[in-house]
Amino acid sequence: MTDTTSIKHPTPLTSGDFTAAEEPFALFAEWFAEAVKSEPNDPNAMALATVDSDGLPDVRMVLMKGYDADGFVFYSHIASQKGRELAANPKAALLFHWKSLRRQVRIRGSVTPVTDQEADAYFATRPKQAQIGAWASKQSQPLESRFAFEQAIAKVAARYMIGEVPRPPGWSGWRIAPQCFEFWHDRPFRLHDRIEFRRDAPTKAWSKVRLYP
């Protein structure tokens, strides 16, 4: 007979908190609000996964700049590697990992560009140095030296020394519309809590299932 005394939980496996949620966006909002209070750096940081033309995955950290019932928004250069991959295959996966809370949220769905009006409005909120950097950077392209980049920044800064910096034509954003959420919360002995929400289309209802850890 196996002795399982050593792996008994200090609390029951079934909790009455997030696993009872029936709608993922409201649950995400609750978790994100807690992360804003507890994470020392960038609670809006998320890993973004795309695939290239060979089906080889790419992943990198980006910053979520907004979310609502329509999806999760981030901004970057259209000609960047992520931009090119999303243009060819407009599907992506996101991962939020809040180490201070021992929680993570996985999201998968389809991707669409934001409108020009949305991109203009967000770009106008960026610090001027970041706006200048967006003009000077040929994101994901080979760079011969840091000095060459600093020269490009200086030229753009001189051009826009006075007045507002307009949004570069090659800089915009994307919105990931979730088809699947997975909420994960750490539990003792790796017997974690996981719930998954899925829907076939934005107009469809969410289904929920609890997953083995």
Side-chain angles (χ1 to χ4, degrees), residues 96-124:
F96 293 87
H97 178 218
W98 299 306
K99 192 171 184 179
S100 65
L101 297 174
R102 296 182 177 272
R103 292 174 177 171
Q104 68 178 28
V105 181
R106 297 171 60 203
I107 298 167
R108 296 195 297 163
S110 58
V111 181
T112 54
V114 302
T115 65
D116 288 343
Q117 292 77 13
E118 288 177 289
D120 287 340
Y122 172 68
F123 190 79

Side-chain angles (χ1 to χ4, degrees), residues 59-187:
V59 66
R60 74 289 283 166
M61 300 303 295
V62 298
L63 295 179
M64 176 188 72
K65 292 301 181 179
Y67 74 94
D68 56 23
D70 293 326
F72 294 76
V73 175
F74 73 95
Y75 294 88
S76 186
H77 285 263
I78 296 171
S80 66
Q81 189 158 351
K82 69 178 85 66
R84 297 193 304 271
E85 290 173 356
L86 288 172
N89 186 1
K91 297 178 182 179
L94 304 175
L95 171 65
F96 293 87
H97 178 218
W98 299 306
K99 192 171 184 179
S100 65
L101 297 174
R102 296 182 177 272
R103 292 174 177 171
Q104 68 178 28
V105 181
R106 297 171 60 203
I107 298 167
R108 296 195 297 163
S110 58
V111 181
T112 54
V114 302
T115 65
D116 288 343
Q117 292 77 13
E118 288 177 289
D120 287 340
Y122 172 68
F123 190 79
T125 70
R126 289 166 61 94
K128 190 167 186 177
Q129 288 296 330
Q131 293 175 334
I132 290 170
W135 276 97
S137 176
K138 301 175 183 178
Q139 195 173 102
S140 300
Q141 300 302 311
L143 173 62
E144 59 271 31
S145 68
R146 183 71 186 184
F147 180 66
F149 187 31
E150 291 173 350
Q151 283 185 312
I153 292 171
K155 289 179 181 178
V156 177
R159 189 191 317 162
Y160 296 112
M161 185 177 298
I162 299 173
E164 297 181 354
V165 182
R167 177 174 63 92
W171 191 97
S172 190
W174 295 263
R175 176 176 285 103
I176 296 93
Q179 295 172 274
C180 177
F181 280 85
E182 184 194 303
F183 293 83
W184 177 98
H185 183 47
D186 176 84
R187 298 297 298 271

